[in-house]
Amino acid sequence: MSNLPVTERDLFVVGTGIAGMSAAVYAAKRGLSVSQAGSTGEIVFSSGLFDVMAVHPVAEKKLWENPWEAMAAVSADMPNHPYAHVSREDVEKAYGELFDFLSEFGLEYRMEKDANSKVLTPIGTEKTTWAVPATMWAGVEAFKNNAPALLIDFEGLREFSAKQVATTIGEKWSNLKTMRLEFPDSASMKPILTGIMAQSMELKETREKLYALIKPHLNGVEAVGVPAILGIYTTGEILEEMEKELGVKVFELPTLPASVPGMRLKSLFEGRISTLGVDLKLQHKVFSITPLDDGRYEVTFGVQAPTEKVVAKGVVLATGRFLGGGLYADRHHIVETVMGLPVSQPADREEWHRTDLLDPRGHKVSSAGVEVDSSFRPVDENGKVVHERVYAVGSLLAHQDWMRMKCGTGIAVASSLRAVEAFVAQQ
Ligand SMILES: Cc1cc2nc3c(=O)[nH]c(=O)nc-3n(C[C@H](O)[C@H](O)[C@H](O)COP(=O)(O)OP(=O)(O)OC[C@H]3O[C@@H](n4cnc5c(N)ncnc54)[C@H](O)[C@@H]3O)c2cc1C
């Protein structure tokens, strides 16, 4: 291993989920040299909706209209929650810098500054979130106003049923009509999947055929909804063209994971992060991180075995939880997989899960993770910083049940920004 080629960098980011990608963006924009390694992460499973905070306390399922008030309540009630280490300004700044990057390459987001919005899920329930892909915004407004709208699904598409959405949401959107169409040239698609339809929508020919199919059904309709299929690479242009051609507002609804909005984010991050100078090693795994005597860290990585080495002044661990690979549970303990960092977890395995799977309080195992100081440096059980310039961010962090609290991406971006800023300040 000592013969591996060595590169020197300011920062090494482990992980290519939203936390790792945003950390790389923030660091590169601040002039740092950055190497990054990881596999796809949860991005591709994400609905594309970006939460700040919506549910607290989870046991009461209390939904908050104002995400910032929810965040303040969580910080006050849960002093170990990652949000207790950041301010509203941090979250806004982190999202702002991320939106600038995404928007530069055509992915726009919309939101109300001080309010959560309601997006219909593919099964017709309401999801409370903060920032919404611009392609979904007309649906948020049409739903809020009970506007006359037409929701379309497609013959043979099992992922999405317009009728199910309309039936579930019922009287709350009584002016929503549904219809089923045959997607252009779908006879050649086997199976019919939103990802394939989205690729096909990149072709002008497909779009023109679709517009012709929809146009006869627009009488009295103010908005037309489809499952998320409006392309992968030129989504903004497709939305604009479709609204112009149909003469009504157009919106997408999220679909089940792995969804097209998740694919768009993945494709944009993976394809464009190098424009900032980030040296991205996709599908690479970090095998070891060793502190050196001079305060730097030696990182070895490769596809199946270590084939490269970076010596970096700092490391951001954005390795996720069990799905991402940052945490691993053996028969007795939960361990952090890359550096063997201390993991905050219930004392006994018996306590990981409650007896009832659907217990409204959730399960203690969902809040296990790495505990950090206010600079997002991992600490041990006595609160002592473990490594001077190693930072843990995103869903790897302890004391958050992001799935129930609806705060996943907000924590990912805010912790990444604070970690990068702390590293810069330490230089
Ligand atoms: C189904 C689903 C739906 C979601 N919906 C929403 C939503 O609607 N709104 C919202 O705000 N959030 C949502 N989230 C959550 C959100 O996607 C995550 O909280 C957020 O992406 C943070 O993830 P992360 O980057 O911390 O971890 P992950 O996305 O899990 O990424 C972990 C990364 O670490 C890498 N890694 C791990 N070990 C190593 C190693 N040894 N070497 C190199 N790389 C390594 C992995 O390859 C991966 O790239 C959803 C998540 C899922 C799964």
Side-chain angles (χ1 to χ4, degrees):
M1 255 188 357
S2 55
N3 295 330
L4 297 180
V6 184
T7 311
E8 297 197 355
R9 294 273 187 250
D10 292 320
L11 199 63
F12 197 103
V13 176
V14 193
T16 51
I18 289 181
M21 287 300 188
S22 45
V25 169
Y26 304 145
K29 289 267 186 190
R30 283 161 178 74
L32 304 179
S33 60
V34 182
S35 277
Q36 183 180 17
S39 310
T40 297
E42 288 174 13
I43 287 183
V44 81
F45 297 111
S46 117
S47 53
L49 306 173
F50 287 166
D51 302 343
V52 170
M53 173 60 72
V55 181
H56 173 71
V58 286
E60 292 168 25
K61 294 190 178 168
K62 181 178 171 185
L63 260 181
W64 292 70
E65 260 180 42
N66 184 316
W68 313 112
E69 287 173 5
M71 193 185 147
V74 165
S75 303
D77 297 345
M78 302 172 69
N80 287 327
H81 190 281
Y83 271 156
H85 298 310
V86 301
S87 64
R88 168 182 177 163
E89 287 68 35
D90 293 322
V91 182
E92 286 184 312
K93 187 174 170 192
Y95 266 129
E97 291 189 22
L98 180 65
F99 292 145
D100 285 347
F101 175 71
L102 297 176
S103 156
E104 201 179 320
F105 299 108
L107 263 193
E108 302 287 343
Y109 270 77
R110 299 280 303 268
M111 78 286 309
E112 283 189 45
K113 198 167 184 288
D114 292 325
N116 279 321
S117 289
K118 303 270 188 203
V119 179
L120 293 194
T121 70
I123 53 168
T125 52
E126 294 166 54
K127 150 96 181 159
T128 304
T129 189
W130 186 60
V132 177
T135 53
M136 298 184 188
W137 191 249
V140 170
E141 295 200 313
F143 171 49
K144 193 162 69 182
N145 301 324
N146 192 14
L150 175 65
L151 186 61
I152 297 172
D153 66 14
F154 296 96
E155 211 71 65
L157 177 68
R158 295 208 184 132
E159 292 171 66
F160 184 86
S161 157
K163 205 164 248 176
Q164 176 173 1
V165 172
T167 307
T168 309
I169 202 65
E171 280 308 301
K172 283 189 176 174
W173 197 350
S174 55
N175 289 322
L176 181 68
K177 294 190 300 180
T178 66
M179 73 170 303
R180 180 160 293 180
L181 291 176
E182 193 157 330
F183 190 74
D185 305 318
S186 57
S188 60
M189 291 180 189
K190 283 196 181 83
I192 297 175
L193 298 169
T194 50
I196 299 171
M197 295 162 88
Q199 297 277 2
S200 178
M201 285 290 282
E202 291 286 343
L203 306 173
K204 179 107 181 146
E205 191 191 337
T206 306
R207 299 198 298 274
E208 281 175 349
K209 287 181 186 169
L210 184 63
Y211 303 154
L213 290 171
I214 296 175
K215 272 180 187 168
H217 306 281
L218 294 179
N219 202 7
V221 163
E222 287 176 14
V224 166
V226 288
I229 55 162
L230 300 187
I232 307 263
Y233 314 106
T234 59
T235 301
E237 284 101 314
I238 294 174
L239 177 70
E240 201 180 320
E241 179 195 273
M242 194 163 170
E243 291 194 328
K244 198 165 146 237
E245 288 290 328
L246 298 182
V248 293
K249 287 281 174 200
V250 170
F251 64 91
E252 292 184 317
L253 284 192
T255 53
L256 296 172
S259 71
V260 168
M263 290 176 207
R264 285 177 195 143
L265 283 169
K266 171 177 145 51
S267 151
L268 192 155
F269 277 126
E270 293 180 357
R272 304 297 188 163
I273 197 110
S274 60
T275 63
L276 299 177
V278 174
D279 182 18
L280 173 63
K281 301 288 183 182
L282 264 185
Q283 312 308 340
H284 278 55
K285 179 179 172 182
V286 167
F287 287 88
S288 66
I289 300 176
T290 313
L292 301 176
D293 289 342
D294 64 4
R296 295 186 298 167
Y297 300 88
E298 182 186 274
V299 184
T300 67
F301 56 100
V303 177
Q304 285 178 334
T307 50
E308 286 178 70
K309 196 189 279 182
V310 162
V311 171
K313 292 178 193 159
V315 172
V316 172
L317 276 182
T319 47
R321 302 173 55 79
F322 301 101
L323 186 62
L327 297 179
Y328 175 78
D330 66 21
R331 286 167 65 90
H332 306 290
H333 299 103
I334 299 167
V335 293
E336 188 283 311
T337 55
V338 183
M339 298 188 80
L341 296 170
V343 174
S344 166
Q345 58 190 292
D348 199 313
R349 192 187 166 128
E350 295 286 300
E351 294 174 43
W352 287 7
H353 295 98
R354 300 187 199 273
T355 325
D356 180 358
L357 181 69
L358 300 177
D359 193 307
R361 294 168 296 174
H363 302 279
K364 287 188 183 169
V365 69
S366 307
S367 295
V370 171
E371 198 153 332
V372 288
D373 73 354
S374 58
S375 298
F376 288 89
R377 293 177 300 178
V379 296
D380 64 17
E381 56 283 6
N382 301 313
K384 190 169 172 290
V385 169
V386 188
H387 297 286
E388 262 320 290
R389 289 184 181 80
V390 172
Y391 308 83
V393 299
S395 53
L396 175 64
L397 296 171
H399 309 297
Q400 50 149 337
D401 186 346
W402 61 261
M403 204 175 279
R404 287 183 177 78
M405 301 178 94
K406 311 285 179 221
C407 58
T409 307
I411 288 175
V413 297
S415 57
S416 293
L417 178 68
R418 281 295 296 272
V420 167
E421 288 186 334
F423 172 70
V424 170
Q426 274 181 298
Q427 296 308 296

